[in-house]
Structures are given as structure tokens and as C-alpha cells.
Amino acid sequence: MRAIGVDIGGTFTDTVLVGDDEIHAVKTSSTADFIGGLSAGIDAICEATGTDPNGVTGFNHGSTIAVNALIERTGAKTAIVTTAGFSDVLEIGEGYRGADLLYAPCNDRTAPLLPRRHRFGVEERIDADGEVVTPLDVGDLDRVIDEILAADVEAVAVCLLHAYRNDEHERAIVERFAERAPDLDVSRSSSVSPEIREYSRTATTVADAYLKPELSAYLDRLEDELGDAGIEAPVAIMKSDGGLARPEIAANRPVTQVISGPVAGVNAATYLAGQRGLENVLTFDMGGTSCDVAAVADGEPIEVAHREIQGLKINGPFTHVETVGAGGGSIARLDEVGALRVGPDSAGADPGPACYGRGGELPTVTDADLVLGILNPETFAGGAVALDADAAERSIRAHVAEPMGVSVEAAAASIRDVIDTKMASATRVTAVNEGLDPREFALVGFGGAGPVHACNVAAELEIDEVVFPNRPGVLSALGLLVSDIRHEHVRSLVETVDRVDPGEIEAGIDELIERADSELESEGVATSDRAFEVSFDAMYEGQAHYLNVPYPNRTVTGADLDELAAAFESAHDHQYGFVDDRNPIELVNLRVTAVGSTPTPPATETGSTTARTPTPVGHREVVLGADERVETAYYDRNDLEAGHEIEGSAVVESDNTTIWLPPAFDGTVDGYGNLVATREVNR
């Protein structure tokens, strides 16, 4: 194995190479076209390790391209074709107020991805049983195609009423577009998301079409760039469910990649936790622009069926990652009433924080960490970025300290406290919403800025153990190399357990497994490396939300359905605290998840764990608060070995991040090279 993983973030591009039982990493600045930072990372890692690109055996990639396109509204000019009379489904939504509108009925809602003039209805109708009520009017369809061509759009979403039951009209429409407008990218709902519930299926299909031209073009450029670099290895793209897909499949389903980057970090944290025998961890990934948090329970990342992004409810599955605008580049400022706010806007990579010396004038979290003495201006990012401490002080003084009437150090400490509280709150909500107690979990801190703040966040959440991976600043890139190929296929059922036909369900399972198996075959996955997981979305009849229940069998009998019903009631009781004996159980969706196992780096211990004390590189003063400073030892991460013990307060500097151990935390290097911090409650 000699594989490369590249994770492109908003500020930095992380590149990891695994080979010869070693892991090598570099961090380069992200570029506006994404490819520039990726190419620089590949060149740097190959040069640093003496690797011939022709010898690379695999290339896995994750990025924030898709989610950025949705957030920044930079996707394709898109139209939608729907059943006549249903053109406004995308704007009507699900018919209830979200939390942000509950007490503010006049608030503006997020505008749909496409305007009203780009929504077109065509004469046809299929009912909820999949029966054709009104045949597709081809003449009316041609009229719609003429109008779409005149609108000069780049992509089209086709989403007809009840197409999850019968997609013959959608297929006919797509075929007609292929004949008359072959240059348009077309997304079909019965292929993208064949699930019941009109709004989310429509929103998902529109997002897929909106992203398809840009994602397809990017993946083409990526493969061209890799070819120019001499890399001919298989390429895989990270998806939102934590699985990988080959570029041709990823390009055809761009909506599956909307949280591609953050999910890789969750996979790596899960892999790391497994090394230490930890099944319950919270992942804390703080980069330059944002902070991503997730929960891993019983050894598996928690998954959700859908996710709302920029007002769109998009069907998944998704690894449940919550993102908050809190990163090293988050800008600190006083609001209109004089309160200190940090983020969500970020200085990014260019111009970056004031201390980068690239023209940035506004104070950021990184500037505060530098002023507090946690960051070393000479060793930041392995010495690749020289920090200007005077510029950081000037920025904080002008924009925060003087307006607040406090010292620069007090202002910097306040910036740190605000951002830590913000991230602790997001982490707590992520856990509590899943019925989890953060105090029963360990925290895995990573990302370029995560290790600087992880212990402070853990202390606020009353978490006693924080694990810092050996290379925490590039963990998401490593996560790309410990992930499997994964695809999900779904069929809507919408029938109660007492009325469902076991033979029909069994046939559905066989059909979805056959389809999934064919997909893995096309990706070159060996038969012995394929696995299939069957599950059902179920709810009590009349409920609005369902629970996913694993199903261990491929056959379906009456006894199997009884066991499935019992499993659902057990899950419902655990999640909501009650069982409803009054209403029957309804099976909403059948799901088959196909997993293709891929080689992963070996988990080998690095050496003896005999306790001993390392020698610090030196000491410097770190500001804890407005009037509190502490003389702090700092260490070179490259000098630390298994068994080394460090007493807090301490700073550990590495090539891609800095670890801060406050006075209440002590650190120990375990046999895998992870620095494990434990909290002394009474210190």
C-alpha cells in the first residue's frame, strides 16, 4: 500500500501518504480553483518521501466544493420539470415553521436554488399506487423543453409526483431531453432519491442538478491533473455517508458529496478510537474556517437520513456532522450593542489572520492564540508560515481591546473564551440531540486549530479524556485512507407490518442487493470484499419521523416481520421513552447498503509505554486570563515517544498544529503515538 489522501478545506489543503508502515503528511494553502492547492500538496508529499507518482497505489479525495457551492449559490443555472400544478413544491416546503420562524412569522426564508420562472409543469399524473392516471403529453413536454432551452439553463431536475412508485414518465422525459438537448445535465428523482415525501425528494434532486456541472467539471480536471502528475492509481471520492465512490459514480450523484470533507475526519477518529478500545467518542475538528463535531456511539458514527443545508432538506444518508462557524480564521468584532462576537465570518487563507502578514487587518482566533503565547510565531505550520505577533496585537487592540476598554491580553483571552463556549455548545447539542451524555464520552481533537482548543472545550463539557492523534492537523486526509467504498439503495414501501406482502419485500431486497452488487463489480471490488446491510425505516402509522432498524436477514417470513416490529419498538422506547400500542407499525423505506472493503494502514504500536518524562525545548509565558499568566514548558512533538508523560500546563508543537494542555490536564503518549490528555478535576 502506497496511497495518497487529499482533503481540501477552506484555508488549507491536507495531503497524507501512507506507505512502508509509515504515515507522512504535508499542509499547503488552499487555492480558489482547489486544484492548485491539491497539486502543491501532491508535489510536496512525493518530494518529501521520495515517492515516484507512478508507484502510488491509490488516491482518495475529499473536499468542501459541493457544500460551498450550495452555501455561496455558485452552482449551475437550473430548471425543474414537475407534474403540472406542482411547480411550487420547492418553495412551499413541508408546511411547518422551523425553529428560526416559530416566533418570527415575518422573517425572510432562504430563497430556493432556482427562481419561479425556471419551474415548469408538464401534463402527466401517476397516483400513489404507481398507476398512470394521466399519460405523459409528449407535445406538452416538447413545449417545456423549448422554454427551458430558451431560458439558457445548464442543468435540469426532473421530479414527478409519485415517481418513487413508478418512474416510467420520468424516464421518458429524460430520454426526450437526451434527444433534443443532449448538452444539458439532467437529474432524475427516481435515480437520485427514490423515496416518498415530495418536498425532500424534489429538494434533493434540484440540489443534485444544481451541483452536477461544477462537480463533473472538477472531477474531470482532477483526473487530468493526476494524469499530468503521473498518478495512474484508482481514484475514489469521499461521500457524505462516510463511504468512497469512483469518480464516474460520484460525478453522476454529486448531491452525495455535500459534506465530503468533514466526514473523513469522523472516519479517522473512529479508526483511532478503535486502536485505544474506545467505542464512544465525540469528534472535534476545528480548522481555519469552521468547526465540525460528530458523535461515535458503540464504535459507529451516528447517521441521519437527511440534512438541511441553506434551507434545503436533502435526503441522505449522512454521517451526522454539525458545523459551526468557528475556526482559527474566525473574525472577532463588537456588535451594535458592544458585545464581543467571534465568527461565523472568516479571514480564510487569503488574506488570512492579521498575523499572517498578507494584508488581513481584522483580529481572528489565531491572532488571539498568538497573543496569549500558545502559538509560537517561529514554528507555526512547521515554520512554513511566519507569524507577525506585533500585527496580531495591533489588530486586537484597535478592534477589540480599546473599544472594550481592556488590555490586549484580556481581549485575546475573551476571544478565546467566546469561541470555546460557542464550540462547546455545538458539541453538547450534537450529543444531547442523540440522547447521549457528553461526560460519558472521550473527545478526539484534531484539525489545524482543534488541538489548541480541545481541552478547553472538554473542560466545559466535563469530559475527562481528550485524544490527540499523532498528526491531528491532517487527520481528515488520513480518514480518506481508512474508509471503505459504500453505496446505499432505497425503495419506498409505505405499508403497515400487518398488511405487507413478505414475498414482495423479499423480492425487493434481492433486487436492491443485485443492483448494489453490480455497482461494486463496476468499481473493481473483489467478491470476497463485498458486504450488504439491510435495514428498514419504520414508524407508527401517522407519525412524521421514522427510525432506521437493522434487518439481519435476506429472507422475509411472518416471524421475521414480528421480530422487526419488536426491534422497532425497542428502538422507539430507547429514543423517545415510550411504546405506542394503539397504532400499527408502518414500513416506510427498505434500504440496502453495499460496502466494499479497502486496504487500511496497519494499526501498529510505536514502542515501549514505560513511563518517563521528556525534556522540554524551553519555556514561555502563556496568558490564562486578564490577570493570570503561567510559565509553561513547550515540547517538539517529533521528540515525544510512547510512554512520555507531560504535566500541564504545556504546549506541544508539531508540523501541522499546536496542542495546548491547560493546567488541569496532563498528557501521556500511548503505544500508537497518540497524546492522551486526562483532566484532574480538583487541580
Side-chain angles (χ1 to χ4, degrees):
M1 182 178 182
R2 199 159 188 81
I4 290 178
V6 178
D7 174 54
I8 299 179
T11 305
F12 290 106
T13 294
D14 301 333
T15 307
V16 165
L17 185 145
V18 174
D20 301 328
D21 293 332
E22 293 185 359
I23 299 174
H24 308 274
V26 298
K27 187 179 283 284
T28 55
S29 293
S30 296
T31 56
D33 67 348
F34 297 104
I35 291 292
L38 179 143
S39 299
I42 293 173
D43 292 342
I45 201 77
C46 288
E47 181 179 350
T49 60
T51 298
D52 182 349
N54 287 316
V56 174
T57 59
F59 183 90
N60 297 350
H61 179 39
S63 74
T64 56
I65 296 173
V67 71
N68 287 350
L70 289 177
I71 292 173
E72 298 169 7
R73 298 297 177 101
T74 57
K77 189 177 179 182
T78 305
I80 184 173
V81 177
T82 69
T83 301
F86 290 83
S87 300
D88 292 322
V89 166
L90 192 65
E91 193 149 5
I92 294 171
E94 292 180 307
Y96 65 86
R97 295 184 186 278
D100 57 329
L101 295 175
L102 192 58
Y103 299 108
C106 295
N107 269 13
D108 291 334
R109 296 178 60 183
T110 304
L113 285 179
L114 46 89
R116 183 65 180 78
R117 65 181 181 276
H118 288 163
R119 305 175 210 157
F120 302 89
V122 64
E123 289 296 329
E124 69 82 40
R125 186 66 176 264
I126 291 174
D127 68 16
D129 294 322
E131 300 296 327
V132 176
V133 176
T134 303
L136 175 65
D137 187 331
V138 178
D140 193 44
L141 173 59
D142 282 337
R143 173 193 61 79
V144 166
I145 293 176
D146 289 338
E147 292 181 9
I148 287 175
L149 290 173
D152 194 29
V153 301
E154 303 165 81
V156 177
V158 179
C159 191
L160 304 180
L161 201 65
H162 302 305
Y164 62 90
R165 282 289 199 201
N166 180 351
D167 66 352
E168 64 175 279
H169 287 178
E170 282 198 351
R171 289 181 179 275
I173 290 174
V174 172
E175 289 173 4
R176 193 64 170 167
F177 268 102
E179 293 171 4
R180 296 203 51 207
D183 293 334
L184 285 178
D185 283 301
V186 180
S187 294
R188 172 169 56 90
S189 80
S190 51
S191 173
V192 173
S193 181
E195 299 183 38
I196 191 172
R197 295 184 176 173
E198 202 65 22
Y199 165 68
S200 58
R201 180 163 58 91
T202 302
T204 304
T205 308
V206 167
D208 190 82
Y210 185 78
L211 295 171
K212 187 170 286 185
E214 180 175 350
L215 263 292
S216 297
Y218 173 77
L219 292 175
D220 287 343
R221 286 179 11 239
L222 171 66
E223 294 197 271
D224 290 343
E225 185 66 27
L226 295 178
D228 292 342
I231 295 177
E232 299 178 355
V235 178
I237 306 301
M238 174 59 67
K239 301 192 287 91
S240 303
D241 62 358
L244 299 168
R246 299 299 179 215
E248 57 273 18
I249 293 178
N252 196 45
R253 301 175 187 169
V255 76
T256 62
Q257 298 152 63
V258 293
I259 56 168
S260 167
V263 169
V266 180
N267 286 0
T270 304
Y271 170 79
L272 172 73
Q275 291 179 343
R276 292 188 48 78
L278 296 172
E279 291 195 332
N280 298 320
V281 297
L282 298 173
T283 68
F284 177 79
D285 177 8
M286 181 182 178
T289 306
S290 62
C291 176
D292 302 305
V293 296
V296 178
D298 298 324
E300 294 292 335
I302 289 177
E303 196 172 88
V304 291
H306 52 258
R307 181 184 177 107
E308 186 167 310
I309 299 175
Q310 285 293 290
L312 288 174
K313 184 177 180 180
I314 299 176
N315 289 336
F318 295 92
T319 295
H320 189 189
V321 178
E322 288 293 339
T323 300
V324 59
S330 292
I331 296 171
R333 56 165 55 89
L334 302 186
D335 64 15
E336 60 275 9
V337 296
L340 178 61
R341 306 290 182 185
V342 185
D345 48 332
S346 171
D350 188 14
C355 60
Y356 278 18
R358 298 174 182 169
E361 297 181 353
L362 298 177
T364 68
V365 173
T366 297
D367 294 308
D369 290 334
L370 178 60
V371 168
L372 294 173
I374 297 172
L375 300 182
N376 186 335
E378 298 177 359
T379 62
F380 184 77
V385 179
L387 300 185
D388 186 341
D390 291 337
E393 289 186 11
R394 288 196 301 271
S395 178
I396 293 174
R397 178 179 291 108
H399 295 279
V400 180
E402 289 183 350
M404 291 179 65
V406 300
S407 68
V408 171
E409 290 80 5
S414 295
I415 293 171
R416 178 198 58 200
D417 292 344
V418 168
I419 202 73
D420 289 346
T421 299
K422 185 175 184 179
M423 293 184 295
S425 177
T427 307
R428 181 183 290 108
V429 168
T430 299
V432 171
N433 281 352
E434 296 297 334
L436 308 174
D437 186 344
R439 295 171 296 183
E440 298 174 357
F441 283 64
L443 188 72
V444 180
F446 57 101
V452 181
H453 295 264
C455 285
N456 292 343
V457 170
E460 189 158 339
L461 296 174
E462 299 182 59
I463 291 174
D464 294 330
E465 181 175 337
V466 182
V467 181
F468 298 105
N470 195 11
R471 295 169 181 81
V474 295
L475 195 70
S476 290
L478 176 62
L480 295 165
L481 302 179
V482 298
S483 302
D484 293 323
I485 291 173
R486 177 183 169 103
H487 300 295
E488 181 170 275
H489 296 269
V490 60
R491 168 184 285 186
S492 285
L493 302 171
V494 198
E495 189 61 271
T496 58
V497 171
D498 58 330
R499 295 180 180 177
V500 75
D501 180 355
E504 182 181 340
I505 292 184
E506 190 170 316
I509 292 174
D510 291 340
E511 179 190 341
L512 294 186
I513 288 179
E514 182 179 352
R515 191 188 307 171
D517 189 59
S518 176
E519 199 163 44
L520 293 180
E521 177 75 24
S522 72
E523 295 189 284
V525 179
T527 303
S528 59
D529 292 329
R530 302 175 197 171
F532 304 95
E533 302 165 357
V534 181
S535 65
F536 289 88
D537 296 332
M539 65 184 186
Y540 289 114
E541 191 173 37
Q543 283 186 316
H545 304 285
Y546 51 73
L547 295 175
N548 185 258
V549 183
Y551 184 76
N553 307 324
R554 292 196 185 183
T555 59
V556 182
T557 66
D560 293 327
L561 291 175
D562 290 340
E563 290 181 8
L564 176 64
F568 164 75
E569 292 196 321
S570 176
H572 195 278
D573 187 41
H574 174 77
Q575 184 78 12
Y576 300 113
F578 74 97
V579 171
D580 186 355
D581 295 324
R582 299 168 300 171
N583 293 306
I585 297 169
E586 188 172 65
L587 301 182
V588 183
N589 297 311
L590 163 66
R591 297 183 186 273
V592 169
T593 302
V595 179
S597 297
T598 58
T600 57
T604 55
E605 296 196 64
T606 60
S608 170
T609 56
T610 302
R612 55 199 188 280
T613 303
T615 302
V617 175
H619 293 78
R620 64 174 179 263
E621 192 175 67
V622 172
V623 178
L624 299 181
D627 301 311
E628 186 178 5
R629 291 164 171 74
V630 60
E631 191 70 14
T632 300
Y634 63 94
Y635 301 82
D636 185 338
R637 184 68 178 87
N638 297 319
D639 293 339
L640 299 184
E641 300 175 350
H644 276 161
E645 296 182 346
I646 300 172
E647 183 178 347
S649 62
V651 172
V652 179
E653 300 170 354
S654 71
D655 296 337
N656 47 61
T657 191
T658 297
I659 298 171
W660 162 238
L661 299 180
F665 284 83
D666 294 332
T668 301
V669 181
D670 69 9
Y672 297 99
N674 307 306
L675 179 60
V676 182
T678 53
R679 185 169 68 107
E680 299 294 332
V681 179
N682 296 321
R683 182 180 294 176

